[in-house]
Amino acid sequence: MSELEIQQCLRCSAAWFPDRLRCPGCGARKWQRVPAGEGTVEQDTWVHRPPAPDGAPVRLGSIRLDAGPIVIARLQEDVGTGRRVRLDSGADGVVRAR
Amino acid sequence: MAADACIVGCGEARYTRHAPAGTNTAAVLADAAWLALESAGIDAGAVDGLAVSSFSLGPDHAIDLAWRLGVHLRWLMEDTNGGASAINMLQHAGRAVQAGDATTVLVLAGDHLPAAAFRTLVEEYNRATRDHLAPLPFGGPNSLFAMLTQRHARAYGLGRSDYAALVIAQRQWAAHNPGAVYREPLTLEEYLAAPIVSDPLCIYDCVPVVTGGDAIVVRARDHLSGSRRPPVLVRALRLTFNPDDQQGDGLRTGLSVLAGELWAEAGAGPRDMDVTMVYDDYPAMALVQLTDLGYLGERELRGFIADELASRRLPVNTSGGQLSAGQAGAAGGLHGVVEAVRQLRGEAGGRQVPGARRALVAGYGMVVYRYGACAGAAVLERAR
């Protein structure tokens, strides 16, 4: 488990997620990977009957990073709209907010 | 688009929630094709152009379908734009018949997606979805549009009963559409008590997945000899793809970008439309499209829903829309075109809007990561 990485433009410093081929801000084609940093949960929802192994409800959120991008992540039960969070990315591909 | 591209026939292969064993996508598309050709009074031998959109045609492609259908072509197209594919195929087919590259284009869309195939489709929709959403797991687009609906409700001051009003009105239209999978009346109490899929969306806010297909036949106006029923002209058509780099909140679609040019080309406005078909994958998105296209004027959305939609004074999604008729995969957009053509030709049975002459049809789709990136609309008009 490590912090989620996003792309950042080497020219204008705009950041984005998921991966793109060109900066949506200034059009530059050179970028670096940087840690996502902090963000705020803007919406959350319980997904009932998800295709999870146990079929248990899953809590998802839409997180606006301070760096700009909006990321869809899995929320811990006690994390809801308005909360400040950081994002982890596991080998299983799950982005988690904590 | 110049006014000489016409829709001369339409058909819909029966929508079913649980298709019988042995059903396959090509056969469903063929059912829709034969119905459309029959309604056009055109023999399959006259077809020289084919366009198709389907998520489940594979491993076949458009050429394999052409071979199975036994049509001999000089124009062929396969479209991958989901809910916007119908307007996109109509644009290309219209240009083809105008330019003389083809005389008679069959436009098809449809799907047969059993549960496992549907799950694979939504989890491998694109790379961003496969890599970042499917592992969560996200349960398909419902959760994304649940959060979009939260943003929409907050932006416009709407509650669940406002979205319910649209859903209930469409169900009232569906009562008169024998092809809709859900036709029984729906009450507000039933809506509010329904199981939640992803809050705030309940089962009635999420389209029922069906097996089915839709078809239209496109010809140039000077190739109309023999058509018994009134042709439908494509008066104006516009599309946008990736208008905002997915940097917005999803509460506007590309329709907001194209609306001005679309209405100018049509020489008409929202108030001139006798029927309107918007892409109702979710109630909020139907409302977003009506807003983007300028249907509200100076009115607030909440009052517009009550005055125009709940009352059905403004005929919107008269088939019951996808929410009541069903979503046959990639046919979602063409379903609206077929319903518009039926209305304009006076073939809509108990739901016929008397004297309907002009229609707006919108398509929307292809969620890239958080919301749809393709949108288009066409203004259709009965020729006589």
Side-chain angles (χ1 to χ4, degrees):
Chain A
M1 188 76 71
S2 57
E3 184 165 7
L4 178 72
E5 290 193 329
I6 59 177
Q7 286 175 305
Q8 184 184 47
C9 179
L10 285 173
R11 187 159 79 189
C12 77
S13 296
W16 61 90
F17 180 88
D19 277 5
R20 298 184 198 193
L21 304 166
R22 184 165 176 251
C23 173
C26 74
R29 295 185 301 231
K30 296 211 165 159
W31 48 267
Q32 62 182 342
R33 292 198 185 279
V34 296
E38 283 193 36
T40 304
V41 181
E42 292 197 328
Q43 291 91 36
D44 64 83
T45 186
W46 278 105
V47 187
H48 300 274
R49 291 190 299 163
D54 56 1
V58 169
R59 192 163 161 77
L60 299 184
S62 183
I63 291 110
R64 186 183 295 271
L65 297 174
D66 295 349
I70 295 170
V71 179
I72 311 295
R74 189 156 175 168
L75 303 183
Q76 290 178 353
E77 280 214 15
D78 60 335
V79 174
T81 296
R83 274 280 293 272
R84 297 285 292 167
V85 294
R86 299 187 83 92
L87 300 178
D88 289 327
S89 178
D92 53 5
V94 180
V95 180
R96 291 181 174 82
R98 59 178 165 85
Chain B
M1 185 176 288
D4 59 354
C6 296
I7 300 169
V8 297
C10 70
E12 185 168 276
R14 185 164 187 79
Y15 281 16
T16 51
R17 282 289 270 162
H18 305 287
T23 302
N24 70 81
T25 298
V28 171
L29 291 167
D31 285 345
W34 308 144
L35 289 168
L37 287 168
E38 190 183 331
S39 96
I42 292 172
D43 187 84
V47 172
D48 61 357
L50 174 68
V52 61
S53 179
S54 173
F55 293 117
S56 56
L57 189 59
D60 277 6
H61 288 291
I63 181 58
D64 306 294
L65 182 64
W67 165 66
R68 288 182 196 277
L69 290 170
V71 289
H72 313 297
L73 311 173
R74 51 195 184 121
W75 187 93
L76 182 62
M77 169 185 186
E78 189 165 345
D79 188 288
T80 59
N81 295 303
S85 64
I87 303 296
N88 197 47
M89 292 190 289
L90 180 57
Q91 181 183 52
H92 286 259
R95 294 295 187 206
V97 299
Q98 286 172 334
D101 295 330
T103 64
T104 306
V105 179
L106 190 54
V107 176
L108 306 177
D111 270 300
H112 170 58
L113 289 160
F118 183 77
R119 182 174 162 182
T120 301
L121 171 68
V122 300
E123 294 192 344
E124 298 183 3
Y125 208 57
N126 55 35
R127 206 158 109 191
T129 301
R130 185 195 64 194
D131 293 352
H132 304 300
L133 296 176
L136 293 174
F138 78 129
N142 294 336
S143 57
L144 305 177
F145 285 92
M147 292 190 280
L148 186 150
T149 299
Q150 291 178 26
R151 297 192 288 276
H152 188 258
R154 186 169 177 177
Y156 291 95
L158 303 184
R160 286 194 65 210
S161 58
D162 296 306
Y163 297 103
L166 179 146
V167 175
I168 290 167
Q170 289 194 191
R171 183 61 66 88
Q172 289 170 336
W173 285 113
H176 304 286
N177 177 11
V181 293
Y182 293 117
R183 297 187 291 276
E184 63 283 11
L186 176 68
T187 66
L188 179 61
E189 291 69 32
E190 286 169 320
Y191 175 95
L192 293 173
I196 296 293
V197 174
S198 181
D199 56 290
L201 302 181
C202 70
I203 56 170
Y204 296 115
D205 297 310
C206 302
V207 287
V209 176
V210 299
T211 293
D214 289 82
I216 57 171
V217 181
V218 178
R219 271 193 166 177
R221 196 174 191 175
D222 51 0
H223 279 86
L224 294 184
S225 58
S227 84
R228 292 163 291 159
R229 306 189 210 184
V232 170
L233 302 175
V234 181
R235 285 287 304 271
L237 190 154
R238 287 282 189 284
L239 289 139
T240 62
F241 304 95
N242 188 35
D244 66 354
D245 274 321
Q246 296 271 301
Q247 307 268 70
D249 53 16
L251 302 186
R252 295 182 72 182
T253 69
L255 299 180
S256 64
V257 178
L258 61 78
E261 287 186 356
L262 179 82
W263 294 125
E265 183 179 5
R271 287 174 184 278
D272 302 313
M273 297 300 108
D274 299 305
V275 290
T276 298
M277 311 299 159
V278 289
Y279 194 85
D280 59 327
D281 48 353
Y282 298 93
M285 290 318 305
L287 298 172
V288 164
Q289 289 161 63
L290 292 168
T291 306
D292 284 349
L293 289 164
Y295 276 77
L296 272 64
E298 300 301 310
R299 289 171 292 182
E300 285 191 23
L301 183 54
R302 192 148 190 258
F304 173 83
I305 294 169
D307 297 343
E308 302 289 344
L309 300 183
S311 68
R312 293 194 290 149
R313 196 160 70 190
L314 185 70
V316 174
N317 294 350
T318 54
S319 68
Q322 299 178 72
L323 287 166
S324 284
Q327 181 178 69
L334 201 54
H335 174 81
V337 177
V338 166
E339 175 66 8
V341 172
R342 284 175 170 171
Q343 286 283 358
L344 298 181
R345 302 210 305 183
E347 298 170 356
R351 63 191 189 282
Q352 179 67 46
V353 174
R357 198 166 149 257
R358 284 189 278 210
L360 180 288
V361 186
Y364 165 80
M366 301 314 288
V367 175
V368 169
Y369 178 59
R370 295 190 301 123
Y371 54 86
C374 304
V379 176
L380 308 179
E381 183 173 330
R382 176 161 44 85
R384 56 175 190 254

